Amino acid sequence: AQSVTQPDIHITVSEGASLELRCNYSYGATPYLFWYVQSPGQGLQLLLKYFSGDTLVQGIKGFEAEFKRSQSSFNLRKPSVHWSDAAEYFCAVGAIRGATNKLIFGTGTLLAVQP
Amino acid sequence: DGGITQSPKYLFRKEGQNVTLSCEQNLNHDAMYWYRQDPGQGLRLIYYSQIVNDFQKGDIAEGYSVSREKKESFPLTVTSAQKNPTAFYLCASSIAGVMNTEAFFGQGTRLTVV
């Protein structure tokens, strides 16, 4: 069955430090992978996506993610975190489940940024 | 500006009442979705629609109903049969099936049962 795992529920980093958020997926075919960000009480905004091609994808706000098929991972990175990056981050895979095309989300990682 | 509008932002409902959440998009998207978000559980799909006058149940459809009479609109009704309706509800849309296109989300409706 298709699934997404985000093993870190909550992460705290200092402003200016680097960041890596982990995402592992389970999917039989080539996955379509996404990272979304959600500010409190708001909807989700797309950070980046991977469909095919170059395994290192660049997104908005200085984020990047690397697709590693051998590890079934799609980790999100940022070299220097800003206080405004504090939010909840969701990894998702586009999948077919039965007759449904849909996004399957991980449970999210809540990022706190210390000054 | 194109986008998805959900209303209201906050909604309170008495137990035993039905309530309808609005979702409108002007992105000319065919596919629309309703997700429920609870702390620590990510987003779970309630219903989705790929085309007008057609919709499918998602993973947690019990206690919910939808309609898709217009391409732009996909309202969600939370019925009294939903045992635990207090949650944050998100509507989304995409060009076609979600697999190969990104989904755009509304700002959400927070429903509280009082």
Side-chain angles (χ1 to χ4, degrees), chain A residues 2 8 15-16 18 20 28 38 43 45 50 53 56-57 63 73 75-76 78 83-84 87 107 113:
Chain A
Q2 302 97 337
D8 303 306
E15 190 168 16
S18 63
E20 183 170 29
Q38 184 182 34
Q45 180 184 22
Y50 171 77
L56 183 65
V57 294
F63 285 92
S73 69
N75 294 349
L76 182 71
K78 187 169 185 179
W83 64 265
S84 61
T107 51
V113 180

Side-chain angles (χ1 to χ4, degrees), chain B residues 2-31:
Chain B
I4 301 178
T5 301
Q6 290 186 242
S7 61
K9 189 172 179 64
Y10 299 96
L11 188 57
F12 296 89
R13 190 195 88 175
K14 293 183 178 180
E15 285 191 23
Q17 288 182 337
N18 293 355
V19 64
T20 297
L21 283 60
S22 171
C23 178
E24 303 276 337
Q25 55 98 359
N26 59 5
L27 299 168
N28 199 32
H29 286 168
D30 290 309

Side-chain angles (χ1 to χ4, degrees), chain B residues 47-64:
Chain B
Y47 268 98
Y48 87 107
S49 170
Q50 299 277 27
I51 196 170
V52 174
N53 292 322
D54 184 61
F55 48 83
Q56 303 292 330
K57 292 182 179 180
D59 297 319
I60 56 165
E62 185 175 354
Y64 300 97

